[in-house]
Amino acid sequence: MESRRPRLVTLFPETENIHLLKDVGMIPYILQKYYNYDSKIVCYDNGDYPYLRELTKGLKIEILEKSKRKRVKDPYEASIDDGYNYIKRHAKQIDILQIFHLSDRSLPWISLYKLLNPKGKVYLKLDANADAKNIKLHESVISILRLCNLISVETKELYEYLNQHWPLRIEYLPNGFYDFGVRENILFEEKENIICSAGSIGSHIKGHDLLIEAFCLAYPYIPGWKLKLIGSVDNPLFHTYLSEYFERNPHLKDKIIFTGKITDRPKLENEYRKAKIFCLPSRSEGFPLVFPEAGRNGCFIISSNVIPAWDITDNKRLGDIVEINNIHQLADSLIKNCNHEERLREGCKGIQDHMYNNFYWVNICQKIDSLLNL
């Protein structure tokens, strides 16, 4: 008789369509598609989910009921109770509860779930950045975390640090990419003299202002290059900044291209495919999904000195890392690497192999499956 598929619930109330192709959606989807899990995401009704029909077929979403308490103004605070109430009703029907972040809501969720379903398993994905080094765990928190069957972090540096400083076993499980079962080898000859970046353009934390200023300094030395920024510009202050920037630098108006938000996956992949360099000068990062997406499309990576940059560039073998907030150092890196055609050519194939060997969701989820079944 065929054994029942393990029922996995990813409880992440904020899930929107875009999250389905990030770790929030990819982990349950890949575990279902390749490793025989019965997966669902539990979240609020956050709009339409076209990726369910197009790219993550078979993955289910269950709508989380919102709190009816009128006094709760903070959505995050409300989500603590809403998730708690969901677990209270459904704990016995969940074999594996998968949640994100060491936070005020994850701890009560873990405690309640294990109380109601002691045989159930918990996978806590820390989704951590450098701030994790400053966390001091109280004994009460440690006792809750010991209820987890799997706790993972996304970078090697934090993996080593947390295992040395926390009295817990933390696993190294990076974020990744998925090619929907078809590997395409990107040829350097397909690429153009484009530096691209992606995300919420104008977000202070992503540092696109640093990139734009560095491009201005570098441009006299890389005159044939363009900068392409992929994503929506939602910050009104950034619009003002751009107006002033182009008043000062009118010669760059047709050299810096804003694509707007791209939700069509083939179109987005094509943008990465055409770019020789992907640059993300963030002021802080956990593990951005754009890194493996750009890398698997053969982009040389230039990043600020955030922890995941060392893993993604294989300690600068396949990219370059500059100081956070250092515009001049970033400009120097752009000049040096844009003019080093042979390094970009060699890196194009090398980084694709590096991504498939270390950051492919199918392999990452195979390890998750193994660790959950120890």
Side-chain angles (χ1 to χ4, degrees):
M1 192 171 100
E2 187 177 349
S3 60
R4 181 175 58 78
R5 294 191 297 161
R7 298 166 296 189
L8 178 139
V9 166
T10 296
L11 181 54
F12 190 72
E14 296 79 14
T15 304
E16 297 180 11
N17 186 60
I18 193 172
H19 290 104
L20 299 182
L21 299 185
K22 297 179 181 289
D23 49 354
V24 172
M26 280 289 105
I27 291 172
Y29 173 69
I30 298 294
L31 286 173
Q32 175 168 293
K33 183 175 176 65
Y34 289 87
Y35 303 106
N36 201 36
Y37 283 64
D38 180 8
S39 300
K40 77 167 80 165
I41 298 173
V42 174
C43 62
Y44 296 133
D45 185 353
N46 295 315
D48 192 20
Y49 295 90
Y51 288 160
L52 287 178
R53 302 185 291 273
E54 302 162 7
L55 299 172
T56 59
K57 291 179 181 177
L59 181 62
K60 299 183 289 292
I61 283 184
E62 182 176 345
I63 300 303
L64 180 64
E65 186 178 331
K66 284 194 173 183
S67 172
K68 294 186 169 58
R69 291 189 300 149
K70 294 180 181 178
R71 292 184 182 178
V72 179
K73 294 180 180 179
D74 182 357
Y76 184 85
E77 183 184 341
S79 74
I80 299 175
D81 287 346
D82 297 340
Y84 195 86
N85 291 334
Y86 180 86
I87 293 168
K88 191 187 298 184
R89 293 193 302 271
H90 299 285
K92 295 280 177 62
Q93 289 79 49
I94 302 170
D95 298 313
I96 301 158
L97 178 66
Q98 197 255 310
I99 52 182
F100 290 80
H101 310 128
L102 177 57
S103 64
D104 291 340
R105 73 181 184 188
S106 59
L107 296 173
W109 289 356
I110 293 166
S111 298
L112 179 65
Y113 174 69
K114 292 297 282 189
L115 176 66
L116 298 177
N117 188 356
K119 292 183 178 180
K121 298 177 180 180
V122 175
Y123 170 25
L124 174 62
K125 188 175 189 295
L126 292 175
D127 196 22
N129 60 23
D131 292 341
K133 292 183 178 181
N134 301 321
I135 297 174
K136 306 297 181 187
L137 296 180
H138 296 292
E139 192 58 44
S140 59
V141 173
I142 294 169
S143 65
I144 294 173
L145 293 179
R146 284 185 174 139
L147 298 173
C148 295
N149 301 82
L150 172 59
I151 304 174
S152 73
V153 72
E154 294 74 18
T155 57
K156 291 178 181 177
E157 182 179 324
L158 287 180
Y159 161 74
E160 292 170 2
Y161 181 90
L162 297 180
N163 276 297
Q164 288 172 6
H165 292 85
W166 290 9
L168 299 158
R169 176 63 187 172
I170 310 297
E171 299 290 345
Y172 167 62
L173 291 166
N175 283 334
F177 73 93
Y178 182 51
D179 60 4
F180 300 92
V182 180
R183 176 170 178 171
E184 289 187 72
N185 292 312
I186 310 302
L187 301 177
F188 186 72
E189 288 70 26
E190 300 177 53
K191 292 184 171 291
E192 302 171 19
N193 287 344
I194 294 172
I195 304 156
C196 78
S197 192
S200 179
I201 307 301
S203 164
H204 177 75
I205 203 166
K206 295 295 182 182
H208 294 116
D209 56 315
L210 304 172
L211 176 54
I212 290 171
E213 295 294 340
F215 183 74
C216 179
L217 295 176
Y219 186 73
Y221 306 94
I222 52 169
W225 285 72
K226 292 185 177 181
L227 173 61
K228 189 171 283 192
L229 299 167
I230 305 165
S232 58
V233 183
D234 300 321
N235 182 351
L237 293 177
F238 197 69
H239 281 285
T240 303
Y241 160 75
L242 290 175
S243 296
E244 295 171 353
Y245 176 88
F246 287 119
E247 280 182 21
R248 288 184 280 117
N249 304 288
H251 62 294
L252 295 179
K253 271 194 173 180
D254 62 343
K255 306 300 180 185
I256 302 179
I257 300 161
F258 295 85
T259 69
K261 187 175 183 178
I262 300 176
T263 56
D264 181 81
R265 290 305 295 182
K267 187 175 179 183
L268 178 59
E269 294 286 342
N270 193 51
E271 294 292 353
Y272 289 133
R273 190 174 188 141
K274 288 190 294 187
K276 289 181 179 176
I277 292 174
F278 178 85
C279 183
L280 192 66
S282 299
R283 293 176 166 98
S284 176
E285 280 292 353
F287 192 112
L289 276 296
V290 289
F291 271 167
E293 288 176 355
R296 77 103 161 188
N297 281 287
C299 296
F300 185 88
I301 306 288
I302 297 178
S303 172
S304 55
N305 189 12
V306 292
I307 292 174
W310 296 93
D311 296 344
I312 211 76
T313 64
D314 197 19
N315 297 309
K316 295 174 70 171
R317 180 174 69 90
L318 299 163
D320 200 11
I321 298 171
V322 302
E323 292 176 1
I324 293 172
N325 282 321
N326 193 325
I327 293 171
H328 290 277
Q329 199 177 101
L330 179 56
D332 288 344
S333 178
L334 293 176
I335 295 166
K336 175 182 68 176
N337 290 296
C338 288
N339 287 300
H340 199 330
E341 183 86 351
E342 195 52 39
R343 189 182 188 197
L344 298 180
R345 180 183 296 277
E346 289 176 3
C348 179
K349 181 181 186 304
I351 199 165
Q352 291 177 70
D353 292 339
H354 181 53
M355 294 304 105
Y356 272 94
N357 291 337
N358 298 281
F359 301 98
Y360 188 43
W361 272 128
V362 178
N363 299 334
I364 295 166
C365 287
Q366 182 180 44
K367 187 175 179 183
I368 292 173
D369 175 56
S370 298
L371 290 167
L372 286 171
N373 286 289
L374 285 177

